[in-house]
């Protein structure tokens, strides 16, 4: 069974022609000669789609459309009209109809419109269910993390390091990416003249920058091929997910800001807010540079680690676009040996 469809039209022949056409394709059809009969079916059957004639004796198809959208808003509606009247069609769409069909119509065209409309409905419902499940999963994970974090004692930093190593391992990171970028962040922040108290907060944010990926499924996070548009929409949620996880924990109030903005770009082409320039917190502007440093100097499945000189060239090339030019100057002033000492590895 492909779906339940209501056909409401006061012309018997039209109803029967549509009924025969759709029934042959496996749809279950219910016929109504008036809006009143249509309402009776709506109250007794679960419908996927309704085909409604606009002009019927008594209450019109538009009245029935309004009733359907009030009672079962997920039911998709197509209007049937003999009037090639754009105002009427727009009125129907304004009231919730998906589309309209004008008489006289081609039955093959009607069938194609019904199939396309129901497929669109299926995708919308699946997406709603996926989003609801994702939000539930994030809420559950958020509560778990908040509970654990609220009970941490003097071993706080060691517990965090273990958690981040687990997240790095999930993405098959070599070594500890999060711990390296934390060290790099603190170094660049110190050279930029950031007070120690703020550097400590930035370090926490750098360590936890990707914690929001706990809300991204493995089939997206670990997908070996390029992500499609829908998958990128999910992936781009991870800064906000991470922020929501940390924002409710007083210990991470400042760190959460870096987590939220760590994929923004100086030129405004980043995400999730497309913030630009000094709209981006300085912690996130610092992180953008050190994250590039670690990414380029680490082995990847598709390439070996690049040279430190290649990093310098890239930072210069992207100054003013991806990176804050003032922080680029600070970055370039730091000797290679200092970066190596911070990360505990050769570059």
């Amino acid at each position: 069974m492909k779906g339940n469809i209501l056909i409401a039209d006061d012309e018997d022949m039209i109803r029967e022609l549509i009924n025969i056409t759709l029934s042959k394709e496996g749809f279950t059809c219910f016929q109504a000669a008036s809006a009143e009969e249509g309402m009776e079916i709506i109250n007794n059957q679960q419908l996927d789609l309704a085909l409604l004639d606009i002009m019927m004796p008594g209450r019109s198809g538009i009245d029935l459309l309004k009733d359907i959208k009030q009672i079962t808003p997920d039911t998709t509606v197509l209007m049937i009209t003999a009037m090639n009247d754009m105002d009427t069609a727009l009125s129907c769409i304004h009231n919730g109809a998906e589309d309209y069909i004008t008489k006289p119509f081609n039955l093959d065209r009607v069938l194609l419109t019904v199939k396309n409309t129901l497929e669109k409905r299926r995708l919308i419902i699946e997406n709603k269910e996926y989003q609801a499940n994702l939000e539930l999963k994030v809420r559950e994970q958020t509560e778990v993390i908040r509970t654990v974090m609220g009970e941490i004692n003097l071993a706080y930093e060691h517990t965090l390091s273990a958690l981040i190593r687990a997240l790095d391992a999930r993405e098959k990171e070599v070594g500890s990416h999060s711990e390296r970028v934390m060290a790099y962040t603190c170094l660049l922040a110190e050279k930029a003249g950031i007070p120690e108290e703020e550097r400590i907060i930035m370090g926490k944010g750098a360590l936890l920058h990707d914690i929001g990926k706990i809300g991204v499924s493995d089939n997206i996070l670990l997908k070996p091929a390029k992500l499609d548009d829908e998958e990128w929409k999910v992936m781009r949620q991870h800064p906000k997910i991470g922020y929501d996880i940390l924002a409710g924990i007083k210990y991470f109030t400042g760190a959460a800001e870096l987590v939220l903005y760590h994929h923004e770009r100086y030129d405004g082409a980043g995400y999730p807010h497309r913030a630009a320039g000094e709209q981006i917190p300085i912690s996130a502007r610092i992180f953008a540079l050190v994250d590039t440093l670690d990414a380029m100097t680490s082995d990847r499945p598709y390439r070996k680690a690049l040279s430190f000189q290649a990093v310098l060239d890239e930072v210069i090339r992207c100054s003013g676009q991806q990176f804050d030019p003032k922080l680029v100057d600070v970055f370039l002033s730091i000797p290679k040996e200092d970066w190596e000492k911070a990360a505990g590895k050769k570059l």
Side-chain angles (χ1 to χ4, degrees):
M1 186 186 299
K2 291 188 175 183
N4 294 339
I5 298 177
L6 168 65
I7 306 166
D9 195 304
D10 60 320
E11 295 185 50
D12 296 344
M13 185 176 70
I14 287 179
R15 290 200 315 274
E16 194 55 42
L17 283 172
I18 297 175
N19 176 54
I20 292 170
T21 302
L22 298 180
S23 296
K24 284 180 180 178
E25 293 295 318
F27 296 105
T28 299
C29 297
F30 302 89
Q31 296 187 48
S34 66
E36 289 73 18
E37 288 182 18
M39 276 302 301
E40 189 173 337
I41 293 169
I42 289 162
N43 289 326
N44 290 283
Q45 299 292 338
Q46 186 172 347
L47 299 173
D48 300 295
L49 183 142
L51 284 158
L52 310 180
D53 185 19
I54 289 179
M55 299 298 293
M56 289 189 288
R59 299 179 75 244
S60 71
I62 296 178
D63 294 327
L64 185 53
L65 163 65
K66 292 176 181 177
D67 290 337
I68 289 174
K69 286 302 173 181
Q70 186 170 7
I71 297 168
T72 57
D74 285 339
T75 300
T76 302
V77 180
L78 294 173
M79 305 304 293
I80 302 171
T81 178
M83 303 175 296
N84 196 1
D85 181 351
M86 186 57 68
D87 289 338
T88 304
L90 291 175
S91 174
C92 293
I93 291 171
H94 176 75
N95 285 290
E98 179 67 26
D99 204 347
Y100 69 101
I101 302 166
T102 55
K103 300 177 185 177
F105 45 70
N106 179 293
L107 287 171
D108 289 336
R109 182 67 181 173
V110 172
L111 178 59
L112 179 62
T113 302
V114 166
K115 285 183 175 180
N116 288 342
T117 302
L118 285 175
E119 176 63 13
K120 180 180 177 180
R121 176 182 184 270
R122 182 186 68 80
L123 292 173
I124 290 171
I125 290 174
E126 282 186 0
N127 185 58
K128 284 182 180 178
E129 290 174 351
Y130 173 81
Q131 291 296 330
N133 290 335
L134 177 62
E135 288 170 8
L136 176 61
K137 180 180 178 182
V138 170
R139 283 198 298 271
E140 289 173 349
Q141 295 286 0
T142 298
E143 289 307 311
V144 169
I145 291 173
R146 283 179 176 171
T147 300
V148 171
M149 298 262 180
E151 297 172 352
I152 291 177
N153 51 26
L154 296 176
Y156 220 139
E157 299 301 332
H158 296 291
T159 303
L160 285 179
S161 295
L163 172 62
I164 297 307
R165 286 195 188 100
L167 289 171
D168 283 348
R170 184 184 178 211
E171 292 190 72
K172 298 180 172 57
E173 287 281 359
V174 178
S176 180
H177 160 69
S178 297
E179 290 184 335
R180 288 194 302 270
V181 293
M182 177 180 69
Y184 289 151
T185 296
C186 291
L187 173 60
L188 182 52
E190 180 183 4
K191 299 298 183 182
I194 305 297
E196 183 179 6
E197 186 176 344
E198 292 180 37
R199 297 201 303 269
I200 292 171
I201 294 171
M202 289 182 185
K204 291 176 189 174
L207 183 68
L208 295 163
H209 70 280
D210 270 343
I211 197 167
K213 288 183 178 178
I214 200 168
V216 179
S217 63
D218 284 352
N219 61 344
I220 293 177
L221 189 65
L222 305 180
K223 183 177 179 180
K226 185 178 180 181
L227 299 183
D228 62 31
D229 289 344
E230 288 303 311
E231 290 166 335
W232 264 117
K233 284 181 183 178
V234 175
M235 181 63 84
R236 289 189 178 112
Q237 292 175 16
H238 82 265
K240 181 62 166 61
I241 293 171
Y243 177 82
D244 289 341
I245 290 171
L246 301 178
I249 306 169
K250 187 176 180 180
Y251 185 76
F252 293 121
T253 301
E257 187 177 61
L258 184 151
V259 173
L260 181 61
Y261 286 91
H262 78 276
H263 276 296
E264 301 289 357
R265 290 170 50 105
Y266 194 75
D267 60 5
Y271 64 89
H273 299 305
R274 298 186 70 84
E278 295 191 4
Q279 293 175 333
I280 305 168
I282 191 168
S283 58
R285 283 180 273 146
I286 286 173
F287 182 84
L289 282 157
V290 302
D291 190 41
T292 296
L293 169 62
D294 191 61
M296 292 183 68
T297 56
S298 298
D299 288 334
R300 290 289 183 264
Y302 50 88
R303 62 153 174 80
K304 287 289 186 182
L306 301 175
S307 68
F308 183 71
Q309 184 58 50
V311 176
L312 300 182
D313 293 342
E314 179 70 5
V315 166
I316 292 169
R317 185 181 71 83
C318 295
S319 179
Q321 299 172 37
Q322 186 174 353
F323 309 124
D324 180 338
K326 293 179 182 177
L327 289 173
V328 166
D329 291 340
V330 179
F331 182 94
L332 296 174
S333 73
I334 300 173
K336 176 182 175 183
E337 293 75 19
D338 288 0
W339 293 114
E340 291 175 337
K341 183 177 178 181
K345 76 166 193 175
K346 286 288 184 181
L347 299 178

